[in-house]
């Protein structure tokens, strides 16, 4: 290992399991952020929460796409290749996972694999780095979520997100059962927005 | 030809919960997609397990991929913790993952089950893992995977309704009593595994996460918490569950699923809770049934 | 008073003890050694390696001993171990043309370069029980220093290459260098490519493939087969190491290869050519290699423009039922308790009978 390479999971078995469990509950309860306890210090702009999800879920079987800020830093690619072994791809449509450090500038969802009617699972999971979540006490903005995993409805907010986020999520929902799934990671938490969720203006 | 060399045996050691990390990641990815597409069967590369296909390898792989060191695991078969296959699977995880196990539904964080849903309402921090033999609800109407995949893609479930309606025409009843098909979140028709249809209503709006693993058929599917799960039926033949004429003979419970136990060859029989934890807990709370042993005080008096 | 049956744990423990006792058999006799199994029950070991998809004679011998000679159980033990092994990569395609040949027969030519080499075969033995093998000293004259073993024959050309040079048989597909689909690492969805089909058949149950292959000879997808060649011997396994930039030989395996030469195909535009069915199995498993080649050829009906309709041509049916570990598990799972479901059925049957009885009574009154 090159001396400069940041360390991976301290305990590859249990840290991966804990990160996966957080992602699992996040997608099972859309809009409810789950604590993600990470001790990683990956090279910037890769955030520890997003790095933990990649290390837990990706390997040589999962082509990974990085957005411009991440792919501009060679240490990020070196870190992900060494610890996850995931092949990095230049075309978002070829990726099983996409890692996005700048959500405001992220490509349209249609750029990513959205599955087919026969195999809707053959679609991308987008790991989106955010700075923080806004909860029900946060009155400025936020969305109302409904769908499987939600008892009634739940208020949810996160920042930063693309300006057209509600429209994107509506288009994604309209494709169901096709579509992409989002894991929003940051501030020690991960929240899930699976394709099954309906996002309305709060 | 040289004589075969039988060398020293390889040093065999297993990872936490048996599966290697790459396999766990593959299963975990399938679980995430299954949760995102409720009721859709995600293909996964099921591994050979050290127990036979058809004996819970799908459930075991899902449990192994989800399980962490702090989990408390309960395993039931036919509702009981002490049936042989439940004992064998629980023993497997005690040995390979050294996790705590329990027979108590309320103490468990993960419950692996074959053929039943516990009577006690599950909580939102629990995971119910079903063992599934045939995940395809349309399999007995159309054996070909290539065909059923199209039917699911097109949401074309008329075949299933025709089958159920033919039952009504022939028997006056829908003849499906277990593995009764459900529609999940208004989209996919799903096989709930061979639970009695008595248990179907428990799947609807269930606070727990429900995961389904079919090892031999290599499919994983899921129902997120609080998801609408509707048993297929007709306006003039609404879905109805079995009702037992008598309460449990040991704890007096009503509105629960009962096992029929033959007592002799002269028609003697009794009905007892299939959920052994539920029954035991009720008995400990002092509930009694018509065949309960005499109360402790009475026993002591008699002695 | 009634107490529900408990004690699954104790029952299982007792059953395992009984099993161990039965396995050991008569303790006044010496236990069979792995060396004896690997050296004297070689064809059983070969079958376990082939269908277990793991080339290791010692482990196969151990599995046979542990399974009390039940080969499907032994295959299962090997598979469950195999699945825990890390995967380093895939080997180069085996070059069976460079095989150190122990046996090679062709039914299509009387003589050919390299000749016909009978080798160790049951063919032409009279199937008469040999009571001399039953003697207490286990065939005294057979013990002692091994008789000299013939050196393997030098590499000899494959029959299909000889007729292929004339363009008389369809060429083998070229290796495109791509990583082949791995049925043990990814879920299969139908239809499948040829590599996936061959992998599935190679670990498929010998008896199942034998029956299906037999059915093609009896008119269910008849393809007019000739045994172009069966060869058995040792081939080198070569692995590319991209990090090192060269290839290394990681050892030798014994395999049986069967190239079936089948009825020709052609049209006004394309000159007629014979077609192939292919079988390759670990160890000496001729019956399996031949059956595999017949079934493989039958499954190619679509690409060769043949009429479908026979069981052996039904890809999804053939491939999804050929694995004996899956099959035995699901058949035998019927032994598990099903009383919850049976109770549900009992209730319905009783209810329907009561309704009919009530109707009859009403009609009679």
């Amino acid at each position: 290992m090159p001396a400069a390479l940041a360390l991976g999971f301290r305990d590859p078995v249990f840290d991966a399991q804990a990160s996966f469990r957080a992602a699992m509950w996040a997608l099972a309860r859309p809009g409810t952020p789950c604590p993600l306890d990470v001790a990683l210090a990956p090279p910037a702009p890769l955030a520890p929460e997003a790095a933990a999800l990649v290390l837990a879920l990706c390997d040589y079987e999962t082509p990974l796409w990085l957005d411009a800020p991440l792919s501009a830093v060679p240490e990020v690619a070196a870190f992900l290749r060494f610890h996850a072994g995931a092949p990095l791809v230049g075309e978002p449509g070829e990726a099983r996972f996409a890692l996005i450090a700048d959500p405001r500038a992220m490509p349209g969802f249609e750029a990513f694999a959205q599955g087919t009617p026969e195999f809707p699972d053959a679609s991308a999971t987008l790991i989106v780095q955010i700075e923080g979540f806004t909860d029900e006490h946060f009155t400025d903005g936020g969305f109302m979520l409904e769908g499987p995993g939600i008892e009634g409805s739940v208020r949810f907010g996160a920042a930063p997100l693309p300006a057209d986020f509600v429209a994107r999520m509506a288009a994604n929902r309209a494709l169901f059962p096709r579509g992409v799934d989002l894991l929003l990671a940051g501030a020690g938490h991960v929240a899930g927005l699976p394709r099954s969720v309906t996002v309305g203006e709060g | 030809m040289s004589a075969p060399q039988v060398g020293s045996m390889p040093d065999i050691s297993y990872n936490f919960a048996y599966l290697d990390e790459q396999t766990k990641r593959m299963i975990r990815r399938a679980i995430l997609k299954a949760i995102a597409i409720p009721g859709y069967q995600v293909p996964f590369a099921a591994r050979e397990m050290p127990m036979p296909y058809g004996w819970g390898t799908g459930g075991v792989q899902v449990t192994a991929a989800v399980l962490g060191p702090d989990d408390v695991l309960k395993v039931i078969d036919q509702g009981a913790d002490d049936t042989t296959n439940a004992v064998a699977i629980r023993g497997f995880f005690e040995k390979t993952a050294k996790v705590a196990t329990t027979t108590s539904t309320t103490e468990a964080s993960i419950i692996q089950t074959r053929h039943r849903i516990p009577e006690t309402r599950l909580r939102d921090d629990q995971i119910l893992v079903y063992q599934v033999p045939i995940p395809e609800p349309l399999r007995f109407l159309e054996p070909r995977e290539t065909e059923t995949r199209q039917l699911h893609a097109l949401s074309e479930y008329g075949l299933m309704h025709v089958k159920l309606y033919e039952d009504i025409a022939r028997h006056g009843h829908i003849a499906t009593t277990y593995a009764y098909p459900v529609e999940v979140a208004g989209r996919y028709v799903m096989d709930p595994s061979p639970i009695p249809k008595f248990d179907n209503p428990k799947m609807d709006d269930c606070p727990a996460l429900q995961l389904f693993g079919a090892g031999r058929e290599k499919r994983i599917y899921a129902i997120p918490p609080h998801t609408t799960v509707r048993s297929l039926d007709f306006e003039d033949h609404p879905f109805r569950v079995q009702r037992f004429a008598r309460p449990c003979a040991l704890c007096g419970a009503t509105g629960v699923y009962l096992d029929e136990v033959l007592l002799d060859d002269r028609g003697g029989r009794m009905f007892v809770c299939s959920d052994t934890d539920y029954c035991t807990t009720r008995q400990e709370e002092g509930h009694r049934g018509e065949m309960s042993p005499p109360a402790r005080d009475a026993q002591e008096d008699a002695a | 008073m009634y107490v529900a049956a408990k004690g699954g744990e104790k029952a299982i423990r007792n059953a395992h003890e009984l099993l161990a006792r039965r396995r050991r058999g008569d303790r006044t006799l010496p236990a069979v050694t792995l060396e004896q199994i690997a050296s004297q029950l070689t064809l059983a070991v070969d079958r376990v390696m082939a269908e277990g998809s793991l080339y290791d004679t010692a482990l196969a011998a151990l599995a046979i001993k542990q399974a009390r000679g039940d080969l499907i159980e032994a295959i299962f033990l090997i598979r469950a171990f195999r699945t825990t092994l890390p995967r380093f990569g895939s080997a180069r395609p085996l070059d069976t043309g460079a095989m150190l040949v122990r046996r090679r027969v062709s039914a299509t030519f009387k003589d050919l370069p390299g000749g016909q080499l009978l080798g160790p075969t049951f063919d032409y033995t009279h199937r008469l029980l040999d009571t001399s093998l039953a003697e207490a000293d286990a065939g005294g004259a057979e013990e002692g220093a091994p008789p000299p073993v013939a050196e393997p024959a030098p590499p000899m050309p494959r029959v299909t290459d000889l007729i292929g040079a004339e363009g008389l048989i369809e060429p083998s597909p070229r290796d495109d260098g791509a990583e082949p689909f791995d049925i043990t690492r990814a879920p299969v969805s139908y239809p499948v490519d040829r590599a996936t089909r061959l992998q599935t058949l190679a670990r498929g149950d010998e008896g199942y493939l034998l029956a299906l292959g037999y059915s093609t000879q009896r008119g269910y997808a008849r393809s007019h087969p000739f045994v172009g060649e069966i060869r058995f011997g040792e081939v080198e396994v070569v692995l590319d190491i991209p990090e090192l930039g060269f290839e290394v030989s990681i050892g030798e395996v014994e395999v049986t290869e069967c190239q079936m030469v089948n009825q020709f195909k052609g049209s006004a535009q394309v000159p007629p050519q014979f077609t192939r069915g292919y079988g390759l199995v670990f160890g000496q498993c001729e019956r399996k290699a031949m059956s595999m080649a017949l079934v493989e050829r039958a499954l190619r009906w679509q690409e060769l423009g043949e009429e479908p309709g026979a069981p052996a041509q039904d890809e999804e049916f053939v491939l999804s039922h050929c694995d004996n570990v899956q099959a035995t598990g699901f058949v035998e799972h019927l032994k598990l308790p099903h009383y919850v479901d049976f109770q549900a059925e009992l209730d319905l049957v009783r209810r329907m009978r009561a309704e009919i009885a009530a109707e009859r009574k009403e009609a009679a009154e």
Side-chain angles (χ1 to χ4, degrees):
Chain A
M1 188 178 8
L5 197 60
L7 297 175
F9 280 141
R10 211 171 27 218
D11 186 324
V13 173
F14 295 127
D15 290 354
Q17 187 272 339
S19 302
F20 158 73
R21 272 284 270 271
M24 183 189 82
W25 279 120
L27 283 169
R29 297 187 198 114
T32 303
C34 294
L36 188 57
D37 182 20
V38 283
L40 293 172
L46 179 58
E49 295 86 355
L53 293 174
V54 173
L55 265 51
L57 297 172
C58 297
D59 53 36
Y60 68 92
E61 292 184 331
T62 55
L64 177 64
W65 180 83
L66 305 181
D67 75 350
L70 289 167
S71 55
V73 180
E75 287 80 6
V76 169
F79 176 87
L80 293 172
R81 268 207 209 93
F82 184 84
H83 292 298
L88 299 178
V89 292
E91 282 299 316
E94 292 170 9
R96 289 275 308 273
F97 284 83
L99 195 44
I100 290 144
D102 181 5
R104 283 197 196 86
M106 70 190 286
F109 291 168
E110 67 282 355
F112 299 100
Q114 296 177 314
T116 63
E118 291 79 19
F119 294 95
D121 57 303
S123 65
T125 302
L126 315 185
I127 298 171
V128 182
Q129 295 188 178
I130 49 110
E131 284 157 20
F133 298 98
T134 50
D135 60 20
E136 54 201 280
H137 307 297
F138 196 86
T139 48
D140 181 24
F143 315 108
M144 286 304 287
L145 308 185
E146 285 179 21
I150 301 167
E151 188 175 13
S153 61
V154 66
R155 185 177 290 278
F156 173 76
L161 288 173
D164 60 347
F165 191 66
V166 172
R168 278 176 187 243
M169 291 304 289
N172 195 48
R173 180 67 185 80
L175 285 174
F176 191 87
R178 299 170 60 228
V180 297
D181 306 304
L182 276 65
L183 287 169
L184 309 184
H189 286 74
V190 55
L193 294 175
R195 68 193 76 183
S196 59
V197 76
T198 302
V199 180
E201 299 281 2
Chain B
M1 222 175 311
S2 55
Q5 295 293 309
V6 176
S8 57
M9 285 293 126
D11 191 16
I12 298 176
S13 66
Y14 298 109
N15 194 18
F16 175 79
Y18 182 78
L19 297 175
D20 60 280
E21 290 302 301
Q22 194 276 331
T23 299
K24 286 185 195 167
R25 276 192 299 273
M26 177 272 294
I27 296 172
R28 287 167 179 168
R29 292 192 293 259
I31 291 172
L32 296 188
K33 287 298 175 194
I35 292 170
I37 318 169
Y40 166 74
Q41 304 162 48
V42 180
F44 83 112
R47 301 291 194 250
E48 267 104 359
M49 298 298 287
M51 59 197 63
Y53 281 116
W55 297 51
T57 57
V60 166
Q61 288 179 81
V62 168
T63 297
V66 169
L67 194 68
D70 301 328
D71 276 308
V72 180
L73 179 68
K74 172 180 165 81
V75 183
I76 51 172
D77 187 334
Q78 315 296 297
D81 298 273
D82 64 343
T83 35
T84 41
N85 202 41
V87 169
I89 290 172
R90 190 167 55 241
F92 174 75
F93 283 112
E94 282 167 351
K95 193 162 148 187
T96 59
K98 299 185 176 58
V99 289
T101 58
T102 182
T103 58
S104 160
T105 300
T106 50
E107 280 172 19
S109 58
I110 301 176
I111 302 170
Q112 181 169 326
T113 180
R114 175 169 173 267
H115 293 192
R116 276 310 311 277
I117 300 176
E119 305 291 0
T120 309
R121 185 166 163 85
L122 299 175
R123 289 188 315 266
D124 66 1
D125 59 345
Q126 292 179 307
I127 303 166
L128 184 59
V129 178
Y130 295 75
Q131 301 172 202
V132 183
I134 301 279
E136 178 50 70
L138 305 168
R139 180 64 69 235
F140 299 106
L141 309 170
E142 170 51 66
R144 267 164 220 288
E145 160 75 15
T146 35
E147 296 292 326
T148 53
R149 185 162 291 287
Q150 282 301 319
L151 296 175
H152 283 295
L154 299 167
S155 237
E156 178 49 71
Y157 296 122
L159 207 56
M160 183 64 92
H161 283 96
V162 168
K163 192 274 174 192
L164 296 177
Y165 211 87
E166 279 174 358
D167 278 1
I168 295 170
R170 189 182 307 165
H171 305 294
H173 292 270
I174 292 175
T176 304
T177 57
Y178 59 91
Y180 190 102
V182 294
E183 180 200 76
V184 180
R187 175 57 176 81
Y188 283 100
V189 166
M190 187 196 92
D191 181 288
S193 89
I195 55 171
K197 71 177 181 178
F198 177 91
D199 283 338
N200 275 23
K202 295 176 188 159
M203 310 179 92
D204 181 39
D205 196 32
C206 175
L209 171 62
Q210 302 173 74
L211 301 175
F212 299 78
R216 195 178 36 76
E217 299 281 339
K218 300 182 168 45
R219 297 290 184 273
I220 285 172
Y221 50 104
I223 306 175
H226 300 294
T227 297
T228 306
V229 178
R230 190 179 68 78
S231 299
L232 301 186
D233 64 355
F234 301 94
E235 245 171 56
D236 52 343
H237 275 87
F239 176 79
R240 244 185 252 132
V241 300
Q242 173 175 359
R243 289 189 183 286
F244 291 85
R246 286 182 269 184
C248 169
L250 293 180
C251 78
T254 55
V256 296
Y257 199 78
L258 302 179
D259 291 337
E260 179 173 340
V261 181
L262 303 183
L263 297 173
D264 53 44
D265 57 2
R266 300 180 306 276
R269 55 172 59 96
M270 68 186 288
F271 288 84
V272 294
C273 286
S274 131
D275 183 336
T276 48
D277 171 60
Y278 184 79
C279 195
T280 313
T281 306
R282 277 180 56 86
Q283 290 178 57
E284 283 166 4
E285 288 166 1
H287 295 278
R288 338 236 337 117
E290 59 179 18
M291 295 185 81
S292 297
R296 180 161 296 243
D297 308 349
Q299 261 178 334
E300 280 167 5
D301 289 349
Chain C
M1 178 186 147
Y2 170 80
V3 181
K6 297 256 177 199
E9 237 153 298
K10 196 170 167 216
I12 290 176
R13 221 172 26 244
N14 289 345
H16 290 173
E17 269 169 33
L18 281 172
L19 174 70
R21 225 179 289 163
R22 281 282 176 139
R23 177 185 48 69
R24 179 57 183 86
D26 183 346
R27 280 168 200 258
T28 62
L29 298 173
V32 65
T33 67
L34 300 193
E35 285 78 5
Q36 287 168 342
I37 295 171
S39 159
Q40 295 177 48
L41 301 180
T42 42
L43 299 185
V45 168
D46 284 354
R47 181 173 175 196
V48 170
M49 293 197 303
E51 292 172 33
S53 301
L54 185 72
Y55 197 92
D56 189 312
T57 48
L59 289 177
L62 173 63
I64 291 168
K65 178 172 177 173
Q66 187 178 331
R68 302 172 60 197
D70 177 339
L71 295 190
I72 292 183
E73 180 69 23
I75 290 161
F76 181 14
L77 288 169
I78 290 297
R79 291 271 195 94
F81 171 69
R82 178 196 191 277
T83 192
T84 66
L85 299 175
R87 188 176 185 284
F88 296 116
S90 50
R92 285 249 182 121
L94 296 183
D95 182 3
T96 54
M99 176 187 281
L100 291 174
V101 175
R102 301 282 176 184
R103 164 165 165 78
R104 184 263 202 127
V105 291
S106 169
T108 49
F109 295 98
K110 183 176 184 188
D111 199 7
L112 65 168
Q116 307 264 16
L117 182 63
L118 275 187
T121 177
F122 292 120
D123 296 352
Y124 316 113
T125 60
H126 296 145
R127 267 58 170 213
L128 302 171
L129 284 173
D130 180 357
T131 49
S132 72
L133 295 178
E135 280 158 26
D137 62 351
E142 290 192 325
E143 284 176 16
V149 174
E151 279 303 303
M156 47 181 85
R158 286 174 294 218
V159 169
T160 44
D161 295 340
L162 298 172
I163 52 178
E166 247 186 285
L168 291 174
I169 190 164
E170 57 170 340
S172 279
R174 298 219 72 78
D175 174 25
D176 60 4
E179 186 77 4
F181 186 86
D182 183 343
I183 60 167
T184 68
R185 292 275 152 181
V188 171
S189 67
Y190 299 102
V192 299
D193 63 13
R194 195 174 181 200
T196 307
R197 187 196 293 155
L198 288 167
Q199 273 177 54
T200 311
L201 296 175
R203 54 162 32 195
D205 181 74
E206 178 176 317
Y208 173 86
L209 293 179
L210 175 66
L212 280 173
Y214 176 45
S215 75
T216 69
Q217 291 179 282
R218 293 192 64 258
Y220 294 87
R222 178 150 171 74
S223 58
H224 308 272
F226 298 96
V227 170
E229 177 175 340
I230 289 168
R231 57 171 58 198
F232 158 66
E234 292 129 60
V235 288
E236 207 176 19
V237 180
V238 176
L239 197 62
D240 272 326
I241 313 274
E243 288 82 2
L244 302 179
F246 55 82
E247 57 178 51
V248 288
S249 166
I250 57 170
E252 285 179 343
V253 293
E254 285 186 342
V255 295
T256 306
E257 180 185 60
C258 173
Q259 298 247 24
M260 227 31 115
V261 175
N262 297 74
Q263 194 167 55
F264 52 87
K265 178 189 177 247
S267 65
Q269 286 78 38
V270 184
Q273 279 187 318
F274 289 105
T275 57
R276 318 174 176 240
Y278 188 74
L280 185 80
V281 188
F282 278 157
Q284 189 175 9
C285 294
E286 257 169 61
R287 186 186 300 122
K288 165 80 177 278
M290 293 175 74
S291 304
M292 177 176 168
L294 289 173
V295 174
E296 203 273 316
R297 176 61 183 76
L299 288 172
R300 296 181 59 209
W301 65 271
Q302 202 156 22
E303 111 194 51
L304 296 171
E306 294 166 349
E307 284 297 309
Q313 290 171 309
D314 187 332
E315 176 176 274
E316 191 174 332
F317 177 84
V318 170
L319 299 187
S320 58
H321 297 114
C322 75
D323 189 296
N324 55 24
V325 178
Q326 289 176 9
T328 199
F330 201 45
V331 167
E332 294 195 52
H333 110 283
L334 294 171
K335 292 184 281 195
L336 292 180
H338 283 78
Y339 52 79
V340 162
D341 294 345
F342 187 67
Q343 184 59 46
E345 297 268 271
L346 261 182
D347 176 72
L348 179 65
V349 173
R350 281 183 183 143
R351 196 141 33 95
M352 291 195 301
R353 289 174 64 89
E355 282 168 14
I356 289 171
E359 278 166 29
R360 284 196 183 143
K361 198 174 163 218
E362 208 170 288
E365 279 164 6

